Amino acid sequence: MTQRLPPSLTPLDTALAALLSGLAPLAPVELPLREAAGCIAAGTPLLAAHPPHDIAATDGWALRANDLVGASSYSPLPLMKAPAWIEAGDAMPAGCDCVLDADAVEVSGPLVQVLAEAVPGQGVRRAGSDIAARTPAGAEGSPVGAADLLLARVAGLAKLGVRRPRLRIVNVPGATATMHMIAGLARSAGLDVEPREAGARDEASIADALDASSCDLVLTVGGSGVGRRDAAVLALARRGEVKAHGLALQPGRTAAVGRLGQVPAVALPGSPDAALAAWFALVQPLVDRLAARRTRRRITLPLARKIASSGGIAEVVLLAEERDAWTPLAVGEWPFHAIAGADAWLLVPGDSEGFAAGAPVDAYLIRE
């Protein structure tokens, strides 16, 4: 049996609503720090102040700044005894509030002279200056980044609370390069990715690989078109339910959305441009819902030249930032060099005819 597209394409908004219907954010889990990067922070703890007390920021002599007024190389200040020498990271001795460099104090036998003034806090990291008390270990609903991990490690945490959707991605033979691209995007977005390989392109082989146990969403890559050897959507219908196949989305017209029990499923086309467009328009909103991610940041810049769009079809446009403007790289079909050179993407709604040159538009960054 050959899968066919319906006489009329499903609007993107309708397909997305069907995909997201009834879905709630996942419960947070605690992950080791090395696994939490890119995941969405959830229920992160409040950190204690760091450093917990004043410490030396540099190696040198610990002194009290008010005792050094007037000291200089021309008018050395004699001391009764040598001050304490401390290393960077050492706790400041009681009564000391500055650290002088080694050559600012001259020690010759019992004679000790200070050759420079100082100000309170010089050479010192104040208590709480690196991490204020009750600072969250990560911004709730935002991806865990390198700075968040630094704070957590400095504070002595071993784990962070995050939401990390578990993705099972099924490669239909013939779409391997596209599958690896999508898997890479998923991993960079913090997903726990489990790739699987369908034994062949026929309906039964793909259906055998569609196991929705122990995962939160399922993607198939390839086999969603209407060719004689395309059977991904038929396999999805066999194992679950197809909500929509044939979307008013360009690229990505042959994508499909459905369910495997309660688990959302998306059939992505095997072509890299169509799969990437469907990832942006369908899968990213799905992942954001499951991970309770905050609204993604958009960058507003004027268009360097106009974008003309076909009415009735939502179009994903690739953009490059050039001279403080968005330059359209590809509309409709995307050559590989446009995918490689794109900085952002823009969705032109199906009820729009496009945007004029110079019009400000909001675009999502591809690499955040």
Side-chain angles (χ1 to χ4, degrees):
M1 181 177 180
T2 302
Q3 60 192 23
R4 300 182 183 279
L5 295 180
S8 60
L9 300 176
T10 301
L12 175 62
D13 289 346
T14 302
L16 185 57
L19 185 63
L20 300 180
S21 177
L23 288 185
L26 301 172
V29 296
E30 284 197 338
L31 293 180
L33 298 185
R34 66 180 181 277
E35 298 179 27
C39 299
I40 303 304
T44 53
L46 300 179
L47 304 178
H50 185 85
H53 45 253
D54 291 357
I55 63 172
T58 185
D59 304 338
W61 301 100
L63 292 155
R64 183 171 179 267
N66 284 347
D67 295 339
L68 310 180
V69 175
S72 71
S73 58
Y74 298 104
S75 179
L77 175 69
L79 299 179
M80 297 298 295
K81 63 177 182 178
W85 174 266
I86 58 176
E87 308 284 341
D90 289 345
M92 291 295 295
C96 296
D97 61 5
C98 66
V99 177
L100 287 185
D101 292 339
D103 58 3
V105 176
E106 187 178 83
V107 180
S108 179
L111 180 62
V112 180
Q113 299 182 111
V114 180
L115 309 179
E117 291 185 317
V119 296
Q122 179 176 320
V124 177
R125 297 182 86 90
R126 295 294 195 186
S129 61
D130 287 329
I131 304 175
R134 301 186 61 77
T135 296
E140 186 82 15
S142 296
V144 174
D148 300 315
L149 295 175
L150 172 64
L151 295 185
R153 289 190 173 98
V154 167
L157 298 184
K159 295 183 177 181
L160 279 181
V162 297
R163 289 187 174 92
R164 180 172 68 166
R166 300 166 299 171
L167 167 64
R168 186 159 292 149
I169 182 169
V170 176
N171 180 44
V172 176
T176 301
T178 301
M179 185 277 292
H180 283 300
M181 176 188 70
I182 295 298
L185 289 170
R187 290 190 181 97
S188 67
L191 276 68
D192 182 7
V193 180
E194 180 193 352
R196 290 199 172 184
E197 186 83 20
R201 291 181 64 90
D202 61 88
E203 178 183 340
S205 297
I206 300 172
D208 286 344
L210 289 177
D211 179 7
S213 62
S214 303
C215 69
D216 303 303
L217 67 156
V218 174
L219 299 181
T220 61
V221 181
S224 70
V226 294
R228 293 179 180 178
R229 299 176 64 235
D230 289 326
V233 179
L234 297 175
L236 178 57
R238 175 190 285 201
R239 293 295 301 269
E241 178 185 8
V242 176
K243 300 282 189 180
H245 178 216
L247 309 184
L249 175 67
Q250 183 65 20
R253 181 173 63 102
T254 65
V257 300
R259 291 286 173 94
L260 293 168
Q262 298 301 311
V263 176
V266 181
L268 298 177
S271 172
D273 59 342
L276 185 56
W279 169 272
F280 291 147
L282 292 168
V283 184
Q284 273 193 176
L286 169 59
V287 170
D288 291 353
R289 172 70 63 86
L290 292 173
R293 178 180 172 138
R294 292 180 179 178
T295 302
R296 291 175 181 265
R297 187 167 65 97
R298 293 185 289 181
I299 304 297
T300 302
L301 291 174
L303 279 175
R305 60 174 184 268
K306 73 175 183 178
I307 296 175
S309 178
S310 305
I313 296 180
E315 294 196 79
V316 182
V317 182
L318 294 181
L319 306 169
E321 183 180 357
E322 297 177 355
R323 299 176 183 177
D324 295 325
W326 290 128
T327 297
L329 296 181
V331 182
E333 294 183 355
W334 302 348
F336 290 170
H337 67 79
I339 295 175
D343 298 312
W345 64 277
L346 167 70
L347 180 67
V348 181
D351 58 0
S352 172
E353 295 182 354
F355 302 99
V361 296
D362 298 330
Y364 293 100
L365 295 176
I366 293 176
R367 293 167 290 275
E368 293 187 284

mmCIF file of all heavy atoms in Angstrom, residues 337-357:
data_model
loop_
_atom_site.group_PDB
_atom_site.id
_atom_site.type_symbol
_atom_site.label_atom_id
_atom_site.label_comp_id
_atom_site.label_asym_id
_atom_site.label_seq_id
_atom_site.Cartn_x
_atom_site.Cartn_y
_atom_site.Cartn_z
ATOM 1 N N HIS A 337 24.535 24.737 1.246
ATOM 2 C CA HIS A 337 25.389 25.852 1.667
ATOM 3 C C HIS A 337 24.582 26.894 2.434
ATOM 4 O O HIS A 337 25.109 27.590 3.306
ATOM 5 C CB HIS A 337 26.097 26.476 0.461
ATOM 6 C CG HIS A 337 25.191 27.167 -0.514
ATOM 7 N ND1 HIS A 337 24.687 28.428 -0.305
ATOM 8 C CD2 HIS A 337 24.703 26.764 -1.721
ATOM 9 C CE1 HIS A 337 23.916 28.781 -1.339
ATOM 10 N NE2 HIS A 337 23.914 27.785 -2.199
ATOM 11 N N ALA A 338 23.276 27.013 2.142
ATOM 12 C CA ALA A 338 22.434 27.945 2.889
ATOM 13 C C ALA A 338 22.205 27.436 4.307
ATOM 14 O O ALA A 338 22.234 28.209 5.274
ATOM 15 C CB ALA A 338 21.102 28.139 2.180
ATOM 16 N N ILE A 339 22.005 26.130 4.448
ATOM 17 C CA ILE A 339 21.845 25.547 5.781
ATOM 18 C C ILE A 339 23.105 25.779 6.606
ATOM 19 O O ILE A 339 23.049 26.176 7.775
ATOM 20 C CB ILE A 339 21.534 24.047 5.673
ATOM 21 C CG1 ILE A 339 20.181 23.827 4.985
ATOM 22 C CG2 ILE A 339 21.541 23.393 7.052
ATOM 23 C CD1 ILE A 339 19.852 22.363 4.727
ATOM 24 N N ALA A 340 24.270 25.564 5.983
ATOM 25 C CA ALA A 340 25.535 25.711 6.700
ATOM 26 C C ALA A 340 25.801 27.160 7.083
ATOM 27 O O ALA A 340 26.415 27.436 8.124
ATOM 28 C CB ALA A 340 26.682 25.168 5.856
ATOM 29 N N GLY A 341 25.362 28.114 6.270
ATOM 30 C CA GLY A 341 25.678 29.517 6.510
ATOM 31 C C GLY A 341 24.622 30.296 7.250
ATOM 32 O O GLY A 341 24.805 31.490 7.515
ATOM 33 N N ALA A 342 23.510 29.661 7.623
ATOM 34 C CA ALA A 342 22.411 30.385 8.257
ATOM 35 C C ALA A 342 22.705 30.676 9.728
ATOM 36 O O ALA A 342 23.270 29.849 10.440
ATOM 37 C CB ALA A 342 21.119 29.591 8.131
ATOM 38 N N ASP A 343 22.305 31.864 10.167
ATOM 39 C CA ASP A 343 22.414 32.249 11.567
ATOM 40 C C ASP A 343 21.081 32.137 12.303
ATOM 41 O O ASP A 343 21.063 31.986 13.528
ATOM 42 C CB ASP A 343 22.903 33.699 11.692
ATOM 43 C CG ASP A 343 24.286 33.903 11.112
ATOM 44 O OD1 ASP A 343 25.177 33.088 11.428
ATOM 45 O OD2 ASP A 343 24.468 34.857 10.334
ATOM 46 N N ALA A 344 19.984 32.248 11.562
ATOM 47 C CA ALA A 344 18.675 32.303 12.197
ATOM 48 C C ALA A 344 17.618 31.815 11.216
ATOM 49 O O ALA A 344 17.898 31.590 10.032
ATOM 50 C CB ALA A 344 18.363 33.731 12.655
ATOM 51 N N TRP A 345 16.398 31.654 11.725
ATOM 52 C CA TRP A 345 15.293 31.262 10.864
ATOM 53 C C TRP A 345 14.053 32.064 11.217
ATOM 54 O O TRP A 345 13.885 32.535 12.338
ATOM 55 C CB TRP A 345 15.009 29.757 10.955
ATOM 56 C CG TRP A 345 14.552 29.273 12.313
ATOM 57 C CD1 TRP A 345 15.331 28.966 13.375
ATOM 58 C CD2 TRP A 345 13.196 29.060 12.729
ATOM 59 N NE1 TRP A 345 14.562 28.568 14.440
ATOM 60 C CE2 TRP A 345 13.258 28.602 14.081
ATOM 61 C CE3 TRP A 345 11.963 29.190 12.117
ATOM 62 C CZ2 TRP A 345 12.109 28.295 14.810
ATOM 63 C CZ3 TRP A 345 10.817 28.882 12.840
ATOM 64 C CH2 TRP A 345 10.899 28.439 14.168
ATOM 65 N N LEU A 346 13.203 32.209 10.240
ATOM 66 C CA LEU A 346 12.000 33.023 10.362
ATOM 67 C C LEU A 346 10.831 32.238 9.792
ATOM 68 O O LEU A 346 10.944 31.624 8.724
ATOM 69 C CB LEU A 346 12.181 34.336 9.592
ATOM 70 C CG LEU A 346 10.941 35.194 9.336
ATOM 71 C CD1 LEU A 346 10.459 35.818 10.638
ATOM 72 C CD2 LEU A 346 11.251 36.294 8.318
ATOM 73 N N LEU A 347 9.711 32.227 10.497
ATOM 74 C CA LEU A 347 8.502 31.581 9.995
ATOM 75 C C LEU A 347 7.567 32.639 9.413
ATOM 76 O O LEU A 347 7.146 33.555 10.118
ATOM 77 C CB LEU A 347 7.792 30.819 11.112
ATOM 78 C CG LEU A 347 6.509 30.087 10.704
ATOM 79 C CD1 LEU A 347 6.827 28.942 9.747
ATOM 80 C CD2 LEU A 347 5.759 29.579 11.921
ATOM 81 N N VAL A 348 7.276 32.507 8.124
ATOM 82 C CA VAL A 348 6.309 33.383 7.472
ATOM 83 C C VAL A 348 4.947 32.693 7.540
ATOM 84 O O VAL A 348 4.778 31.601 6.980
ATOM 85 C CB VAL A 348 6.682 33.652 6.007
ATOM 86 C CG1 VAL A 348 5.677 34.594 5.368
ATOM 87 C CG2 VAL A 348 8.090 34.218 5.904
ATOM 88 N N PRO A 349 3.971 33.255 8.268
ATOM 89 C CA PRO A 349 2.680 32.574 8.426
ATOM 90 C C PRO A 349 1.983 32.338 7.093
ATOM 91 O O PRO A 349 2.238 33.027 6.094
ATOM 92 C CB PRO A 349 1.877 33.546 9.302
ATOM 93 C CG PRO A 349 2.890 34.419 9.959
ATOM 94 C CD PRO A 349 4.025 34.539 8.982
ATOM 95 N N GLY A 350 1.093 31.356 7.088
ATOM 96 C CA GLY A 350 0.387 31.016 5.857
ATOM 97 C C GLY A 350 -0.524 32.116 5.352
ATOM 98 O O GLY A 350 -0.829 32.165 4.151
ATOM 99 N N ASP A 351 -0.964 33.029 6.235
ATOM 100 C CA ASP A 351 -1.842 34.112 5.800
ATOM 101 C C ASP A 351 -1.077 35.367 5.429
ATOM 102 O O ASP A 351 -1.654 36.433 5.252
ATOM 103 C CB ASP A 351 -2.873 34.430 6.881
ATOM 104 C CG ASP A 351 -2.230 34.829 8.214
ATOM 105 O OD1 ASP A 351 -0.975 34.867 8.297
ATOM 106 O OD2 ASP A 351 -2.972 35.108 9.176
ATOM 107 N N SER A 352 0.260 35.255 5.297
ATOM 108 C CA SER A 352 1.095 36.405 4.950
ATOM 109 C C SER A 352 1.676 36.227 3.550
ATOM 110 O O SER A 352 1.950 35.110 3.118
ATOM 111 C CB SER A 352 2.236 36.560 5.965
ATOM 112 O OG SER A 352 3.169 37.539 5.555
ATOM 113 N N GLU A 353 1.849 37.330 2.869
ATOM 114 C CA GLU A 353 2.480 37.297 1.546
ATOM 115 C C GLU A 353 3.968 37.616 1.623
ATOM 116 O O GLU A 353 4.633 37.739 0.600
ATOM 117 C CB GLU A 353 1.781 38.278 0.601
ATOM 118 C CG GLU A 353 0.333 37.893 0.296
ATOM 119 C CD GLU A 353 -0.326 38.842 -0.687
ATOM 120 O OE1 GLU A 353 0.312 39.868 -1.032
ATOM 121 O OE2 GLU A 353 -1.472 38.571 -1.101
ATOM 122 N N GLY A 354 4.476 37.759 2.858
ATOM 123 C CA GLY A 354 5.903 38.017 3.030
ATOM 124 C C GLY A 354 6.163 39.339 3.714
ATOM 125 O O GLY A 354 5.273 39.914 4.345
ATOM 126 N N PHE A 355 7.399 39.825 3.561
ATOM 127 C CA PHE A 355 7.821 41.054 4.224
ATOM 128 C C PHE A 355 8.608 41.919 3.248
ATOM 129 O O PHE A 355 9.389 41.411 2.437
ATOM 130 C CB PHE A 355 8.694 40.741 5.440
ATOM 131 C CG PHE A 355 8.024 39.863 6.458
ATOM 132 C CD1 PHE A 355 8.283 38.498 6.481
ATOM 133 C CD2 PHE A 355 7.137 40.389 7.378
ATOM 134 C CE1 PHE A 355 7.678 37.679 7.415
ATOM 135 C CE2 PHE A 355 6.525 39.578 8.317
ATOM 136 C CZ PHE A 355 6.788 38.221 8.335
ATOM 137 N N ALA A 356 8.406 43.214 3.349
ATOM 138 C CA ALA A 356 9.099 44.149 2.470
ATOM 139 C C ALA A 356 10.533 44.362 2.926
ATOM 140 O O ALA A 356 10.877 44.165 4.098
ATOM 141 C CB ALA A 356 8.358 45.485 2.448
ATOM 142 N N ALA A 357 11.390 44.765 2.003
ATOM 143 C CA ALA A 357 12.762 45.119 2.352
ATOM 144 C C ALA A 357 12.752 46.251 3.370
ATOM 145 O O ALA A 357 11.995 47.214 3.237
ATOM 146 C CB ALA A 357 13.528 45.539 1.102
#
